[in-house]
Amino acid sequence: MKVLEAGFVKGFMALCAEGYRQGWHERNGGNLSYRMTAEDVAAVRENLSEEGEWKEIGTSVPGLADEYFTVTGSGKYFINVDRVPEESFCILKVDSTGTKYQIQWGLTDGGRPTSELPTHLMNHEVKKRVTGGLHRVIYHAHCNNIIALTFVLPLKDEIFTRELWESMTECPVVFPEGVGVVPWMVPGGREIGVETSRLMEEYNAAIWSHHGIFCSGETFDSTFGLMHTIEKAAQVLVMVMSVSDRKRQTIKPDDFRRLAKEFGVTLPEKFLYEKESDLFSDLCR
Ligand code: 2HA
Ligand code: ZN
């Protein structure tokens, strides 16, 4: 089967197009990776080449030895993923030591995989372990309203989670485990990957301060849906903060406990603290 006819590639490209449409992928912003199944690999095997050079990942992911990934390219634009797919993303294989990769399809103009490859692969390694192999998608986007909130809210998991949950009733159902927050760090290397993948042990979303979000999920739809839900909640909160100095009313800890029971989700008590004040000026202190 041709790579561009495979179902997983169609899903990969559709996510890129929709993310671009949302306005989260200015220029070459954002990146996407998918851990392929054995069936995916078999379906496109005839188009894969083992001639390419083995290159350093820049970190060590032994839990991903011999796995195949579909990954967007460094410096590539999401808007171009379905215009010039062969130039915009690649299929790569991780070697048996988990330290090197080989491009086996795509990036035909000599490009490299995303600059965030270490973070993507370290997140995949954690998520493969903690979900028993269910999670396959890692998605990074520059979501406008979440970025804005990292300038005003304290950079704490408890505060971001609680404020996002309060902003839209479905949020605690969509991300009952909460969201993690990484302080500002230099992107593109191993260090930020270590911090992000540490949060991925517990959460399916990690916010990068003044930069964007990383989400993990089983499918392209559920991973995109998580990103979309978080960003929409952030937008609501930014709107509320723009028109008022406080929430006149909101969803309270006991409301969340009732919701959790009704929807069969577990909401960690660390997010259901009592607030001293309803003023944004106190929250953002
Ligand atoms: O340019 O988003 O974080 C791609 C990025 C780097
Ligand atoms: Zn980025």
Side-chain angles (χ1 to χ4, degrees):
M1 185 186 289
K2 290 222 166 59
V3 168
L4 298 182
E5 287 166 8
F8 74 91
V9 173
K10 288 182 182 166
F12 185 95
M13 291 169 59
L15 186 153
C16 293
E18 186 52 33
Y20 179 78
R21 217 181 60 79
Q22 293 292 333
W24 303 336
H25 299 285
E26 75 293 336
R27 202 172 179 275
N28 60 317
N31 25 77
L32 175 64
S33 64
Y34 168 70
R35 185 169 59 83
M36 293 162 64
T37 65
E39 292 74 30
D40 295 331
V41 178
V44 300
R45 168 94 58 195
E46 61 192 357
N47 301 293
L48 303 182
S49 157
E50 298 185 346
E51 302 300 308
E53 195 187 327
W54 287 95
K55 296 187 174 152
E56 297 290 338
I57 295 169
T59 190
S60 166
V61 284
L64 300 177
D66 300 320
E67 292 253 24
Y68 289 78
F69 294 85
T70 308
V71 184
T72 50
S74 176
K76 303 300 180 183
Y77 292 27
F78 266 43
I79 194 177
N80 289 333
V81 162
D82 51 14
R83 292 182 185 164
V84 280
E86 295 90 341
E87 293 177 17
S88 302
F89 62 95
C90 69
I91 292 175
L92 62 81
K93 184 181 183 182
V94 172
D95 75 351
S96 60
T97 68
T99 61
K100 293 188 169 64
Y101 70 88
Q102 179 186 55
I103 295 177
Q104 298 204 345
W105 179 92
L107 291 176
T108 50
D109 59 352
R112 292 151 33 91
T114 171
S115 58
E116 305 296 356
L117 189 64
T119 294
H120 276 263
L121 293 183
M122 291 165 88
N123 286 346
H124 275 295
E125 189 181 43
V126 167
K127 282 302 182 187
K128 182 184 170 190
R129 172 168 48 77
V130 300
T131 70
L134 286 177
H135 278 207
R136 294 191 171 275
V137 181
I138 299 288
Y139 176 33
H140 169 56
H142 295 173
C143 301
N144 314 23
N145 291 281
I146 274 290
I147 295 173
L149 286 178
T150 63
F151 292 91
V152 290
L153 292 183
L155 301 175
K156 296 202 164 80
D157 304 0
E158 286 77 5
I159 291 180
F160 268 80
T161 298
R162 176 66 174 275
E163 294 308 311
L164 293 171
W165 280 2
E166 283 186 36
S167 299
M168 209 166 60
T169 295
E170 295 266 297
C171 286
V173 180
V174 177
F175 49 100
E177 61 291 317
V179 298
V181 184
V182 179
W184 186 86
M185 292 180 73
V186 176
R190 182 174 181 276
E191 206 181 325
I192 195 166
V194 170
E195 287 306 311
T196 310
S197 60
R198 199 173 51 75
L199 293 173
M200 285 290 179
E201 298 271 350
E202 180 175 353
Y203 307 116
N204 292 325
I207 294 166
W208 278 10
S209 296
H210 322 322
H211 186 144
I213 315 182
F214 267 84
C215 284
S216 172
E218 288 184 36
T219 64
F220 294 113
D221 279 351
S222 65
T223 311
F224 184 86
L226 174 59
M227 186 75 79
H228 201 189
T229 305
I230 292 171
E231 170 58 7
K232 178 161 177 179
Q235 183 180 25
V236 171
L237 183 56
V238 168
M239 287 170 163
V240 173
M241 294 176 99
S242 308
V243 294
S244 180
D245 63 349
R246 74 186 71 208
K247 294 174 189 169
R248 189 180 187 287
Q249 54 271 319
T250 187
I251 309 168
K252 296 284 206 231
D254 275 344
D255 300 329
F256 285 120
R257 293 186 186 102
R258 278 166 46 220
L259 184 82
K261 211 183 227 173
E262 210 52 46
F263 280 79
V265 293
T266 304
L267 301 179
E269 280 292 319
K270 70 172 175 176
F271 301 125
L272 300 180
Y273 49 86
E274 289 301 325
K275 291 188 188 174
E276 285 166 29
S277 148
D278 61 358
L279 282 172
F280 289 133
S281 55
D282 287 338
L283 177 67
C284 299
R285 212 166 36 190

